[in-house]
Amino acid sequence: MGVEEKICHFYYDVVNQLQKDFKLGSLFLEQASTSMIFGREFGDSSLSSKEAYEMIFLSHLSYSKVDNYNRYGIEKLLLAKKISMIGRLAYELEKEDDLSITLSLLGLKNKDYIETYKAFSELKNIIRTGWISRKVEESYRENDSIHSMQMFALAYAYFNLDKSISLDQKKVYEMILIHEIGEIIAGDIREGDKRHKTKYEIEKKAVEQTFSYIKTGDYFISLWEEFENKETEEAFFTYQLDKIDPILKAIFLDLELNRKDLFSDFLSYEKERGTFERGKVKKLFQYIEKKGYQKESREVRYENN
């Protein structure tokens, strides 16, 4: 089994689990973003690390329980405990239960700080318009949180399967976590919408507002702009993952919903735009263009050796 085929198998395993439980996407994004911001704000690099993001991701997959933390070694057990704490913190921040105690324990004095966390929680309420416009059944329409977790799955598969990839993996993960934050004000603006010409300005305002509450906000604003400009290898790779995700998801939806239009629609659109004429995702695009509906069972799981 080649690298591209393994990536597809792993991706579809994650998609199957997300379809069974939409909450997985929001839980993952809220906890990963909490860990990311908490780590950077308080100088705990272990929480804003590649390993931390991967631990949180793996913990939300049904076949990845705590035992899988062993792949990081005994020295990472403390990090696993911190991740458990982050999960509880994210839950309390979303529910706003007894926040005075939470803030006191964390040493936080500025309650506005919580507004940054709320933005990530809000992404689960933003439905991606591409599926709405194509009249996909409501129970199969994904939100921004699900999309972000699917992108993370693709990045994780690439980093663990394709050893030729030389990128700042932590930066890629963080770009994925924040790349949709600009949609919390105006939602998912698709091409053809009269607001599309001012999409960047609208989203930039939302990003600046979201991160204005935290002292490391400039880092995240700069990271979002780097993603938007697509000038670095990490930004272009993340951009391509953003565009390959709906193509792969369209194959799943065509098969699930007995349709034949979604995959060809998304594929032809990105092919005409030349999105995958270069870059690290080019081979994956060529693979799924060739294989299409001949893709093997979505139930096969990839086990990292």
Side-chain angles (χ1 to χ4, degrees):
M1 189 185 297
V3 169
E4 287 71 33
E5 187 175 4
K6 288 180 179 179
I7 290 172
C8 286
H9 280 239
F10 182 77
Y11 171 85
Y12 283 111
D13 193 23
V14 174
V15 167
N16 275 319
Q17 294 185 59
L18 283 169
Q19 185 57 47
K20 293 173 184 175
D21 186 359
F22 272 20
K23 291 184 294 184
L24 287 178
S26 58
L27 288 172
F28 161 71
L29 189 60
E30 288 164 10
Q31 291 181 21
S33 60
T34 301
S35 190
M36 174 179 68
I37 296 170
F38 189 74
R40 289 195 171 273
E41 283 291 283
F42 297 97
D44 187 343
S45 60
S46 66
L47 285 176
S48 54
S49 67
K50 168 184 177 288
E51 290 81 7
Y53 306 143
E54 290 183 344
M55 273 192 184
I56 294 170
F57 171 70
L58 290 173
S59 71
H60 288 89
L61 302 184
S62 63
Y63 59 93
S64 298
K65 304 302 181 185
V66 178
D67 288 345
N68 276 13
Y69 291 160
N70 289 335
R71 60 170 291 199
Y72 296 105
I74 298 299
E75 72 278 4
K76 296 298 182 182
L77 289 179
L78 178 59
L79 178 56
K81 290 182 178 180
K82 289 181 179 180
I83 293 303
S84 296
M85 177 273 291
I86 285 296
R88 180 63 186 175
L89 172 61
Y91 173 81
E92 290 182 0
L93 286 166
E94 181 189 5
K95 300 299 181 184
E96 298 188 53
D97 291 338
D98 217 353
L99 279 177
S100 59
I101 295 176
T102 303
L103 292 171
S104 176
L105 289 172
L106 294 175
L108 299 174
K109 296 180 174 60
N110 181 7
K111 286 193 177 183
D112 288 341
Y113 187 85
I114 298 167
E115 296 303 318
T116 300
Y117 292 98
K118 286 182 179 178
F120 287 93
S121 180
E122 184 62 28
L123 291 178
K124 67 176 176 290
N125 298 319
I126 299 175
I127 307 302
R128 290 171 58 77
T129 56
W131 308 118
I132 297 174
S133 63
R134 291 171 175 82
K135 296 181 173 53
V136 169
E137 293 178 19
E138 189 171 347
S139 60
Y140 284 88
R141 293 176 188 174
E142 68 185 35
N143 56 46
D144 277 349
S145 293
I146 292 172
H147 166 60
S148 296
M149 188 170 179
Q150 289 168 180
M151 280 179 63
F152 195 99
L154 287 169
Y156 177 84
Y158 263 106
F159 296 152
N160 284 275
L161 287 165
D162 190 345
K163 301 307 179 183
S164 69
I165 296 238
S166 177
L167 294 170
D168 184 335
Q169 296 181 17
K170 181 173 73 170
K171 178 182 278 192
V172 169
Y173 283 152
E174 292 185 341
M175 279 186 180
I176 291 171
L177 293 177
I178 72 165
H179 86 286
E180 295 290 19
I181 283 295
E183 297 189 355
I184 63 172
I185 289 180
D188 184 18
I189 302 174
R190 65 189 296 266
E191 290 191 25
D193 189 309
K194 62 182 180 181
R195 299 171 299 166
H196 195 267
K197 290 183 179 180
T198 57
K199 181 177 183 289
Y200 175 82
E201 289 75 16
I202 295 172
E203 294 190 351
K204 184 177 181 181
K205 181 180 178 181
V207 170
E208 291 174 341
Q209 177 179 311
T210 295
F211 294 114
S212 66
Y213 303 105
I214 59 177
K215 63 185 180 182
T216 56
D218 287 347
Y219 167 77
F220 295 106
I221 295 169
S222 176
L223 188 66
W224 180 82
E225 289 179 332
E226 181 179 335
F227 166 75
E228 286 290 311
N229 292 329
K230 302 185 288 292
E231 293 177 351
T232 64
E233 286 192 36
E234 288 78 12
F236 190 70
F237 177 69
T238 306
Y239 163 73
Q240 287 194 315
L241 294 184
D242 187 35
K243 301 307 178 187
I244 202 78
D245 172 52
I247 298 175
L248 285 165
K249 188 64 174 287
I251 297 176
F252 171 84
L253 291 174
D254 272 347
L255 292 168
E256 285 283 308
L257 303 175
N258 196 28
R259 292 180 60 161
K260 297 181 179 179
D261 59 313
L262 297 172
F263 170 63
S264 58
D265 190 7
F266 278 98
L267 183 82
S268 60
Y269 178 73
E270 296 300 344
K271 188 172 184 178
E272 288 175 11
R273 291 209 302 178
T275 304
F276 301 101
E277 288 181 354
R278 64 180 181 87
K280 301 182 186 305
V281 187
K282 178 180 178 179
K283 288 184 179 179
L284 179 59
F285 178 79
Q286 292 174 332
Y287 171 79
I288 60 177
E289 181 182 21
K290 179 180 179 180
K291 296 286 286 186
Y293 295 103
Q294 300 173 38
K295 182 184 63 62
E296 296 178 17
S297 170
R298 295 189 301 274
E299 296 301 322
V300 176
R301 290 176 175 169
Y302 163 66
E303 296 292 344
N304 186 33
N305 296 318

